[in-house]
Amino acid sequence: MISITLLVLLVAVALVDAGKKPDCTVCARVFDQLYDEMEDGDLKSLEKIEAKIHAYCERQQTGEGRRVCYSIETLKREASKPMSYEMPSERICQKLAKRDYEICRIAEGGGVTKTDISKLDDAKITKMRVKELKKILSEFEIKCEGCTEKHEFVDKVKNLVAEKQAKAEL
């Protein structure tokens, strides 16, 4: 009986882990710093929150803070509203990631984590949207000049994957 209960518990934990949101550690750290800068009355006014965000982002010249601010500045209202009712930083970042997926991909130190193309096969690449294909190409600094059709972007990404696999085999 105990083993069945333990098994059910392990399955439940596995299901909870499978539904987790993206890891937004860097973004959450920036929002924690923003919360620390807020004074008592600041969280009542969206304008004051947006002003604090702007002031914070003005001071961020390089690194991860600057990268997060780049995303936040275009989504100030979407960032300030949840801050006004003191939503946890991690949750704010996950919410913003729905509008700007790069915000949770910012790595320690300010870089952006690249897509792991070793896990891509032809079928997955063919099913990808053009936006995703363009993102992969830009991550690896590959230009697709004159590309207008999806199959052209697919071909470029397939060539990129083939090149990376060939280099890995050497």
Coordinates of all heavy atoms in Angstrom, one line a residue, residues 1-84:
M1 N 0.8 -1.2 0.0 CA 0.0 0.0 0.0 C 0.9 1.3 0.0 O 0.6 2.2 -0.7 CB -0.9 -0.1 1.2 CG -1.9 1.0 1.2 SD -3.0 0.9 -0.2 CE -4.2 2.0 0.2
I2 N 2.0 1.2 0.8 CA 2.9 2.4 0.8 C 3.6 2.6 -0.5 O 3.7 3.7 -0.9 CB 3.9 2.2 2.0 CG1 3.2 2.2 3.3 CG2 5.0 3.2 1.9 CD1 4.1 1.9 4.5
S3 N 3.9 1.5 -1.1 CA 4.6 1.6 -2.4 C 3.7 2.2 -3.5 O 4.1 3.0 -4.4 CB 5.1 0.3 -2.9 OG 4.1 -0.7 -3.1
I4 N 2.4 1.9 -3.5 CA 1.4 2.5 -4.4 C 1.3 4.0 -4.1 O 1.3 4.8 -5.1 CB 0.1 1.8 -4.3 CG1 0.2 0.4 -4.8 CG2 -1.0 2.6 -5.1 CD1 -1.1 -0.5 -4.6
T5 N 1.2 4.4 -2.9 CA 1.1 5.8 -2.5 C 2.4 6.5 -3.0 O 2.3 7.6 -3.5 CB 0.9 5.9 -1.0 OG1 -0.2 5.2 -0.6 CG2 0.7 7.4 -0.6
L6 N 3.5 5.9 -2.8 CA 4.8 6.5 -3.2 C 4.8 6.7 -4.7 O 5.3 7.7 -5.2 CB 6.0 5.7 -2.7 CG 7.4 6.2 -3.0 CD1 7.5 7.6 -2.3 CD2 8.4 5.3 -2.5
L7 N 4.4 5.7 -5.4 CA 4.4 5.7 -6.9 C 3.5 6.9 -7.4 O 3.8 7.6 -8.3 CB 3.9 4.4 -7.4 CG 3.8 4.3 -8.9 CD1 5.2 4.5 -9.6 CD2 3.3 3.0 -9.4
V8 N 2.3 7.0 -6.8 CA 1.3 8.0 -7.2 C 1.9 9.4 -6.9 O 1.8 10.3 -7.7 CB 0.0 7.9 -6.4 CG1 -0.9 9.1 -6.6 CG2 -0.7 6.6 -6.9
L9 N 2.6 9.5 -5.8 CA 3.3 10.8 -5.4 C 4.4 11.1 -6.4 O 4.5 12.3 -6.9 CB 3.9 10.7 -4.0 CG 4.5 12.0 -3.5 CD1 3.5 13.1 -3.4 CD2 5.1 11.7 -2.1
L10 N 5.2 10.2 -6.8 CA 6.2 10.4 -7.8 C 5.7 10.8 -9.1 O 6.2 11.7 -9.8 CB 7.1 9.2 -7.9 CG 8.1 8.9 -6.7 CD1 8.8 7.5 -6.9 CD2 9.1 10.0 -6.5
V11 N 4.6 10.2 -9.6 CA 4.0 10.5 -10.8 C 3.4 11.9 -10.8 O 3.6 12.7 -11.7 CB 2.9 9.5 -11.2 CG1 2.0 10.0 -12.4 CG2 3.5 8.1 -11.5
A12 N 2.8 12.3 -9.6 CA 2.3 13.6 -9.5 C 3.4 14.7 -9.6 O 3.2 15.7 -10.2 CB 1.5 13.8 -8.2
V13 N 4.5 14.4 -8.9 CA 5.7 15.3 -9.0 C 6.2 15.5 -10.4 O 6.5 16.5 -10.8 CB 6.8 14.9 -8.0 CG1 8.0 15.7 -8.2 CG2 6.3 15.0 -6.5
A14 N 6.3 14.4 -11.1 CA 6.7 14.4 -12.5 C 5.8 15.2 -13.4 O 6.3 16.0 -14.2 CB 6.9 13.0 -13.0
L15 N 4.5 15.1 -13.2 CA 3.6 15.9 -13.9 C 3.7 17.4 -13.6 O 3.6 18.2 -14.5 CB 2.1 15.4 -13.7 CG 1.8 14.0 -14.3 CD1 0.4 13.6 -13.8 CD2 1.9 14.0 -15.8
V16 N 3.9 17.7 -12.4 CA 4.1 19.1 -12.0 C 5.3 19.7 -12.7 O 5.3 20.8 -13.2 CB 4.1 19.3 -10.5 CG1 4.5 20.7 -10.1 CG2 2.7 19.0 -9.9
D17 N 6.4 18.9 -12.6 CA 7.7 19.3 -13.2 C 7.5 19.5 -14.8 O 8.1 20.4 -15.3 CB 8.8 18.3 -13.0 CG 9.3 18.5 -11.5 OD1 9.0 19.5 -10.9 OD2 10.0 17.5 -11.1
A18 N 6.7 18.7 -15.4 CA 6.6 18.7 -16.9 C 5.8 20.0 -17.3 O 6.1 20.5 -18.3 CB 5.8 17.5 -17.4
G19 N 5.0 20.6 -16.4 CA 4.2 21.7 -16.7 C 4.9 23.0 -16.3 O 4.2 24.1 -16.3
K20 N 6.1 23.0 -15.9 CA 6.8 24.2 -15.4 C 7.0 25.2 -16.5 O 7.1 24.9 -17.7 CB 8.2 23.9 -14.8 CG 8.0 23.3 -13.4 CD 9.4 23.3 -12.7 CE 9.2 22.8 -11.3 NZ 10.5 22.6 -10.7
K21 N 7.0 26.5 -16.1 CA 7.3 27.6 -17.0 C 8.8 27.7 -17.3 O 9.6 27.1 -16.6 CB 6.7 28.9 -16.4 CG 5.3 28.8 -16.0 CD 4.4 28.7 -17.2 CE 2.9 28.7 -16.8 NZ 2.1 28.4 -17.9
P22 N 9.1 28.5 -18.3 CA 10.6 28.7 -18.6 C 11.3 29.3 -17.4 O 10.7 30.0 -16.6 CB 10.6 29.7 -19.8 CG 9.2 30.3 -19.8 CD 8.3 29.3 -19.1
D23 N 12.6 29.0 -17.3 CA 13.4 29.6 -16.3 C 13.8 31.0 -16.6 O 14.5 31.3 -17.6 CB 14.7 28.7 -16.1 CG 15.6 29.3 -15.1 OD1 15.1 29.8 -14.1 OD2 16.9 29.1 -15.2
C24 N 13.3 31.9 -15.8 CA 13.5 33.4 -16.0 C 14.4 34.0 -14.9 O 14.1 35.0 -14.3 CB 12.2 34.1 -16.1 SG 11.1 33.5 -17.4
T25 N 15.5 33.3 -14.5 CA 16.3 33.7 -13.3 C 16.8 35.1 -13.5 O 16.7 35.9 -12.5 CB 17.4 32.7 -13.2 OG1 16.9 31.4 -13.1 CG2 18.2 33.0 -11.9
V26 N 17.4 35.4 -14.6 CA 18.0 36.8 -14.8 C 16.9 37.8 -14.7 O 17.1 38.9 -14.1 CB 18.8 36.8 -16.1 CG1 19.3 38.2 -16.4 CG2 20.0 35.8 -16.0
C27 N 15.8 37.6 -15.4 CA 14.7 38.6 -15.5 C 14.2 38.8 -14.1 O 13.9 39.9 -13.6 CB 13.6 38.1 -16.4 SG 12.2 39.1 -16.4
A28 N 14.0 37.7 -13.3 CA 13.4 37.8 -12.0 C 14.4 38.6 -11.1 O 13.9 39.3 -10.2 CB 13.2 36.4 -11.4
R29 N 15.7 38.4 -11.3 CA 16.6 39.1 -10.4 C 16.5 40.6 -10.7 O 16.6 41.4 -9.8 CB 18.1 38.6 -10.7 CG 19.1 39.2 -9.8 CD 20.5 38.5 -9.9 NE 20.9 38.2 -11.2 CZ 21.1 36.9 -11.6 NH1 20.9 35.9 -10.8 NH2 21.6 36.7 -12.8
V30 N 16.3 41.0 -12.0 CA 16.1 42.4 -12.3 C 14.9 43.0 -11.7 O 14.9 44.1 -11.1 CB 16.1 42.6 -13.8 CG1 15.7 44.0 -14.2 CG2 17.5 42.3 -14.4
F31 N 13.8 42.2 -11.7 CA 12.6 42.7 -11.1 C 12.7 42.7 -9.6 O 12.1 43.6 -8.9 CB 11.3 41.9 -11.5 CG 10.7 42.3 -12.8 CD1 11.0 41.8 -14.0 CD2 9.9 43.4 -12.8 CE1 10.5 42.2 -15.2 CE2 9.3 43.9 -13.9 CZ 9.6 43.3 -15.2
D32 N 13.4 41.8 -9.0 CA 13.7 41.9 -7.5 C 14.4 43.2 -7.2 O 14.1 43.8 -6.2 CB 14.5 40.7 -7.1 CG 13.7 39.4 -7.0 OD1 12.4 39.5 -7.0 OD2 14.3 38.3 -7.0
Q33 N 15.4 43.6 -8.0 CA 16.1 44.8 -7.8 C 15.2 46.0 -8.0 O 15.2 47.0 -7.2 CB 17.3 45.0 -8.8 CG 18.4 44.0 -8.5 CD 19.4 43.9 -9.6 OE1 19.3 44.6 -10.6 NE2 20.4 43.0 -9.5
L34 N 14.3 45.9 -8.9 CA 13.3 47.0 -9.1 C 12.4 47.1 -7.9 O 12.1 48.2 -7.4 CB 12.4 46.8 -10.4 CG 13.1 47.1 -11.7 CD1 12.3 46.5 -12.8 CD2 13.1 48.6 -11.8
Y35 N 11.9 46.0 -7.4 CA 11.1 46.0 -6.2 C 11.8 46.6 -5.0 O 11.3 47.4 -4.2 CB 10.6 44.6 -5.8 CG 9.3 44.1 -6.5 CD1 9.3 42.9 -7.1 CD2 8.2 44.9 -6.4 CE1 8.1 42.5 -7.7 CE2 7.0 44.5 -7.0 CZ 7.0 43.3 -7.7 OH 5.8 42.8 -8.3
D36 N 13.1 46.3 -4.9 CA 13.9 46.9 -3.8 C 14.0 48.4 -3.9 O 14.1 49.0 -2.8 CB 15.3 46.2 -3.8 CG 15.3 44.8 -3.4 OD1 14.3 44.3 -2.8 OD2 16.3 44.1 -3.7
E37 N 14.0 48.9 -5.1 CA 14.1 50.4 -5.2 C 12.8 51.1 -5.0 O 12.8 52.3 -4.8 CB 14.6 50.7 -6.7 CG 16.1 50.4 -6.9 CD 16.6 50.8 -8.2 OE1 15.9 51.6 -8.9 OE2 17.7 50.4 -8.6
M38 N 11.7 50.4 -5.0 CA 10.4 51.0 -4.8 C 10.2 51.5 -3.4 O 10.6 50.8 -2.4 CB 9.3 50.0 -5.2 CG 9.3 49.6 -6.6 SD 8.8 50.9 -7.7 CE 9.1 50.1 -9.3
E39 N 9.6 52.6 -3.2 CA 9.2 53.1 -1.9 C 7.8 52.7 -1.7 O 7.1 52.2 -2.6 CB 9.4 54.6 -1.9 CG 10.9 55.0 -2.1 CD 11.0 56.5 -2.2 OE1 10.1 57.3 -1.9 OE2 12.1 56.9 -2.6
D40 N 7.3 52.9 -0.4 CA 6.0 52.4 -0.1 C 4.8 52.9 -1.0 O 4.0 52.1 -1.4 CB 5.6 52.9 1.4 CG 6.5 52.2 2.4 OD1 7.0 51.1 2.1 OD2 6.7 52.8 3.5
G41 N 4.8 54.1 -1.3 CA 3.7 54.6 -2.2 C 3.8 54.4 -3.7 O 2.9 54.6 -4.4
D42 N 5.0 54.0 -4.1 CA 5.3 53.8 -5.5 C 4.5 52.8 -6.2 O 4.1 52.9 -7.3 CB 6.8 53.6 -5.7 CG 7.7 54.8 -5.5 OD1 7.1 55.9 -5.4 OD2 8.9 54.6 -5.3
L43 N 4.2 51.7 -5.4 CA 3.5 50.6 -6.0 C 2.0 50.8 -6.2 O 1.3 50.0 -6.8 CB 3.7 49.3 -5.2 CG 5.1 48.7 -5.2 CD1 5.2 47.6 -4.2 CD2 5.5 48.3 -6.6
K44 N 1.5 52.0 -5.8 CA 0.1 52.3 -6.0 C -0.2 53.0 -7.3 O -1.3 53.1 -7.8 CB -0.4 53.3 -4.8 CG -0.2 52.7 -3.4 CD -1.1 51.6 -3.2 CE -1.0 51.2 -1.7 NZ -0.8 49.8 -1.6
S45 N 0.9 53.5 -7.9 CA 0.7 54.3 -9.2 C 1.5 53.7 -10.3 O 2.7 53.5 -10.2 CB 1.2 55.8 -8.9 OG 1.4 56.4 -10.1
L46 N 0.8 53.4 -11.4 CA 1.5 52.8 -12.6 C 2.5 53.8 -13.1 O 3.6 53.4 -13.6 CB 0.5 52.5 -13.7 CG -0.5 51.4 -13.3 CD1 -1.5 51.2 -14.5 CD2 0.2 50.1 -13.0
E47 N 2.2 55.1 -13.1 CA 3.2 56.1 -13.6 C 4.5 56.1 -12.8 O 5.6 56.2 -13.4 CB 2.5 57.5 -13.6 CG 1.4 57.7 -14.6 CD 0.1 57.1 -14.2 OE1 -0.1 56.8 -13.0 OE2 -0.7 56.7 -15.1
K48 N 4.3 56.0 -11.5 CA 5.5 56.0 -10.6 C 6.4 54.7 -10.9 O 7.6 54.8 -10.9 CB 5.2 56.1 -9.1 CG 4.7 57.5 -8.7 CD 4.4 57.5 -7.3 CE 3.9 58.9 -6.8 NZ 3.6 59.0 -5.4
I49 N 5.7 53.6 -11.0 CA 6.4 52.3 -11.3 C 7.1 52.5 -12.6 O 8.3 52.1 -12.7 CB 5.4 51.2 -11.3 CG1 4.8 50.9 -9.9 CG2 6.1 49.9 -11.8 CD1 3.7 49.9 -9.9
E50 N 6.4 53.0 -13.7 CA 7.1 53.1 -15.0 C 8.2 54.1 -14.9 O 9.3 53.9 -15.6 CB 6.0 53.6 -16.0 CG 5.1 52.5 -16.3 CD 3.9 53.0 -17.2 OE1 4.0 54.1 -17.7 OE2 3.0 52.2 -17.4
A51 N 8.1 55.2 -14.1 CA 9.2 56.1 -13.9 C 10.4 55.4 -13.3 O 11.6 55.6 -13.6 CB 8.8 57.3 -13.1
K52 N 10.2 54.6 -12.3 CA 11.2 53.8 -11.6 C 11.9 52.8 -12.6 O 13.1 52.7 -12.5 CB 10.7 53.1 -10.4 CG 10.3 54.0 -9.2 CD 11.5 54.4 -8.5 CE 11.1 55.2 -7.2 NZ 12.2 55.5 -6.4
I53 N 11.1 52.2 -13.4 CA 11.6 51.2 -14.4 C 12.5 52.0 -15.3 O 13.7 51.6 -15.6 CB 10.5 50.5 -15.1 CG1 9.8 49.5 -14.2 CG2 11.1 49.8 -16.4 CD1 8.5 48.9 -14.8
H54 N 12.1 53.2 -15.8 CA 12.8 54.0 -16.7 C 14.2 54.4 -16.1 O 15.2 54.3 -16.7 CB 12.0 55.2 -17.2 CG 12.8 56.0 -18.1 ND1 13.0 55.7 -19.4 CD2 13.4 57.3 -18.0 CE1 13.7 56.6 -20.1 NE2 13.9 57.6 -19.2
A55 N 14.1 54.9 -14.8 CA 15.3 55.3 -14.1 C 16.3 54.2 -13.9 O 17.5 54.3 -14.1 CB 14.9 55.9 -12.8
Y56 N 15.8 53.0 -13.6 CA 16.6 51.8 -13.4 C 17.3 51.5 -14.7 O 18.5 51.2 -14.7 CB 15.8 50.7 -12.9 CG 16.5 49.4 -12.8 CD1 17.3 49.1 -11.6 CD2 16.5 48.4 -13.8 CE1 18.0 47.9 -11.6 CE2 17.2 47.3 -13.7 CZ 18.0 47.0 -12.6 OH 18.7 45.8 -12.5
C57 N 16.5 51.5 -15.8 CA 17.1 51.1 -17.1 C 18.0 52.1 -17.6 O 19.0 51.7 -18.3 CB 15.9 50.8 -18.0 SG 15.0 49.3 -17.7
E58 N 17.9 53.3 -17.3 CA 18.9 54.4 -17.7 C 20.2 54.1 -17.1 O 21.3 54.3 -17.7 CB 18.4 55.8 -17.2 CG 17.3 56.3 -18.0 CD 17.7 56.7 -19.4 OE1 18.7 57.4 -19.6 OE2 17.0 56.3 -20.4
R59 N 20.3 53.5 -15.9 CA 21.5 53.2 -15.2 C 22.2 51.9 -15.7 O 23.4 51.7 -15.5 CB 21.3 53.1 -13.7 CG 20.9 54.4 -13.0 CD 21.0 54.3 -11.5 NE 20.2 53.1 -11.0 CZ 18.9 53.1 -10.6 NH1 18.2 54.2 -10.8 NH2 18.4 52.0 -10.2
Q60 N 21.4 51.1 -16.4 CA 22.0 49.8 -16.9 C 22.6 50.1 -18.2 O 21.9 50.3 -19.2 CB 20.8 48.8 -17.0 CG 20.1 48.5 -15.7 CD 21.0 48.0 -14.6 OE1 21.8 47.2 -14.8 NE2 20.9 48.6 -13.4
Q61 N 23.9 50.0 -18.2 CA 24.6 50.3 -19.5 C 25.1 49.0 -20.2 O 25.2 49.0 -21.4 CB 25.9 51.2 -19.2 CG 25.5 52.5 -18.6 CD 24.6 53.3 -19.6 OE1 24.9 53.4 -20.8 NE2 23.6 54.0 -19.1
T62 N 25.3 48.0 -19.5 CA 25.8 46.7 -20.1 C 25.3 45.5 -19.3 O 24.7 45.7 -18.3 CB 27.4 46.6 -20.0 OG1 27.8 46.7 -18.7 CG2 28.0 47.8 -20.8
G63 N 25.5 44.4 -19.9 CA 25.2 43.1 -19.2 C 23.7 42.7 -19.2 O 22.9 43.2 -20.0
E64 N 23.4 41.8 -18.2 CA 22.1 41.3 -18.2 C 21.0 42.3 -17.9 O 19.9 42.2 -18.4 CB 22.1 40.1 -17.2 CG 22.4 40.5 -15.8 CD 22.7 39.4 -14.8 OE1 23.2 38.3 -15.3 OE2 22.5 39.5 -13.6
G65 N 21.3 43.3 -17.0 CA 20.4 44.3 -16.7 C 19.9 45.1 -18.0 O 18.8 45.4 -18.2
R66 N 20.9 45.4 -18.8 CA 20.6 46.1 -20.0 C 19.8 45.3 -21.0 O 18.8 45.8 -21.6 CB 21.9 46.5 -20.7 CG 21.8 47.3 -22.0 CD 21.3 48.7 -21.7 NE 20.2 49.0 -22.5 CZ 19.1 49.7 -22.2 NH1 19.0 50.2 -21.0 NH2 18.1 49.9 -23.0
R67 N 20.1 44.0 -21.1 CA 19.3 43.1 -22.0 C 17.8 43.0 -21.5 O 16.9 43.0 -22.3 CB 19.9 41.7 -22.0 CG 21.3 41.6 -22.7 CD 21.2 42.0 -24.2 NE 20.3 41.2 -24.9 CZ 20.6 40.2 -25.7 NH1 21.8 39.8 -25.8 NH2 19.7 39.5 -26.3
V68 N 17.6 42.8 -20.2 CA 16.3 42.7 -19.7 C 15.6 44.1 -19.9 O 14.4 44.1 -20.3 CB 16.3 42.3 -18.2 CG1 14.9 42.4 -17.6 CG2 16.8 40.9 -18.0
C69 N 16.3 45.2 -19.6 CA 15.6 46.5 -19.8 C 15.2 46.7 -21.2 O 14.2 47.4 -21.5 CB 16.6 47.6 -19.3 SG 16.6 47.8 -17.5
Y70 N 16.0 46.2 -22.2 CA 15.6 46.4 -23.6 C 14.3 45.8 -23.8 O 13.4 46.3 -24.6 CB 16.7 45.7 -24.4 CG 16.4 45.7 -25.9 CD1 16.7 46.9 -26.6 CD2 15.9 44.6 -26.6 CE1 16.4 47.0 -28.0 CE2 15.6 44.7 -27.9 CZ 15.9 45.9 -28.6 OH 15.6 46.0 -30.0
S71 N 14.0 44.6 -23.2 CA 12.7 44.0 -23.3 C 11.6 44.7 -22.5 O 10.5 44.9 -23.0 CB 12.7 42.5 -22.9 OG 13.5 41.8 -23.8
I72 N 12.0 45.1 -21.3 CA 11.0 45.7 -20.4 C 10.5 47.1 -20.9 O 9.3 47.4 -20.9 CB 11.6 45.9 -19.0 CG1 11.8 44.6 -18.3 CG2 10.6 46.8 -18.1 CD1 12.5 44.7 -17.0
E73 N 11.4 47.9 -21.5 CA 11.1 49.2 -21.9 C 10.0 49.2 -23.0 O 9.2 50.2 -23.1 CB 12.3 49.9 -22.5 CG 13.3 50.4 -21.3 CD 14.6 51.0 -21.8 OE1 14.9 50.7 -23.0 OE2 15.2 51.7 -21.0
T74 N 9.9 48.2 -23.8 CA 8.8 48.1 -24.8 C 7.5 47.6 -24.2 O 6.5 47.8 -24.8 CB 9.3 47.2 -26.0 OG1 9.5 45.9 -25.5 CG2 10.5 47.8 -26.7
L75 N 7.6 47.0 -23.0 CA 6.4 46.4 -22.4 C 6.2 47.0 -21.0 O 5.8 46.3 -20.1 CB 6.6 44.9 -22.3 CG 6.9 44.1 -23.5 CD1 7.3 42.7 -23.2 CD2 5.7 44.1 -24.4
K76 N 6.5 48.3 -20.9 CA 6.4 49.0 -19.6 C 5.1 48.8 -18.9 O 5.0 48.5 -17.7 CB 6.7 50.5 -19.7 CG 8.1 50.8 -19.5 CD 8.3 52.3 -19.5 CE 9.7 52.7 -19.7 NZ 9.9 54.1 -19.9
R77 N 4.0 49.0 -19.6 CA 2.7 48.9 -19.0 C 2.4 47.4 -18.6 O 1.8 47.2 -17.5 CB 1.6 49.4 -20.0 CG 0.2 49.5 -19.4 CD 0.0 50.4 -18.2 NE 0.5 51.7 -18.4 CZ -0.1 52.8 -17.9 NH1 -1.2 52.7 -17.2 NH2 0.4 54.0 -18.0
E78 N 2.8 46.5 -19.4 CA 2.6 45.1 -19.1 C 3.4 44.7 -17.9 O 3.1 43.8 -17.2 CB 2.9 44.2 -20.3 CG 1.9 44.2 -21.4 CD 2.1 45.3 -22.4 OE1 3.0 46.1 -22.2 OE2 1.4 45.3 -23.4
A79 N 4.6 45.4 -17.7 CA 5.4 45.1 -16.5 C 5.0 45.8 -15.3 O 5.0 45.3 -14.2 CB 6.9 45.5 -16.8
S80 N 4.5 47.1 -15.4 CA 4.1 47.9 -14.3 C 2.8 47.4 -13.6 O 2.7 47.5 -12.4 CB 4.1 49.3 -14.6 OG 3.1 49.6 -15.6
K81 N 1.9 47.0 -14.4 CA 0.6 46.6 -13.9 C 0.7 45.5 -12.9 O 0.2 45.6 -11.8 CB -0.4 46.3 -15.0 CG -1.8 46.2 -14.5 CD -2.8 46.3 -15.7 CE -4.2 46.4 -15.2 NZ -5.1 46.8 -16.2
P82 N 1.4 44.4 -13.2 CA 1.5 43.3 -12.2 C 2.3 43.7 -11.0 O 2.1 43.2 -9.9 CB 2.1 42.1 -12.9 CG 2.4 42.5 -14.3 CD 1.9 43.9 -14.5
M83 N 3.3 44.6 -11.2 CA 4.1 45.1 -10.1 C 3.2 45.9 -9.1 O 3.4 45.9 -7.9 CB 5.2 46.0 -10.6 CG 6.3 45.2 -11.2 SD 7.7 46.3 -11.7 CE 8.5 46.6 -10.1
S84 N 2.1 46.6 -9.6 CA 1.3 47.4 -8.8 C 0.5 46.5 -7.8 O 0.1 47.0 -6.7 CB 0.3 48.2 -9.6 OG -0.7 47.4 -10.2

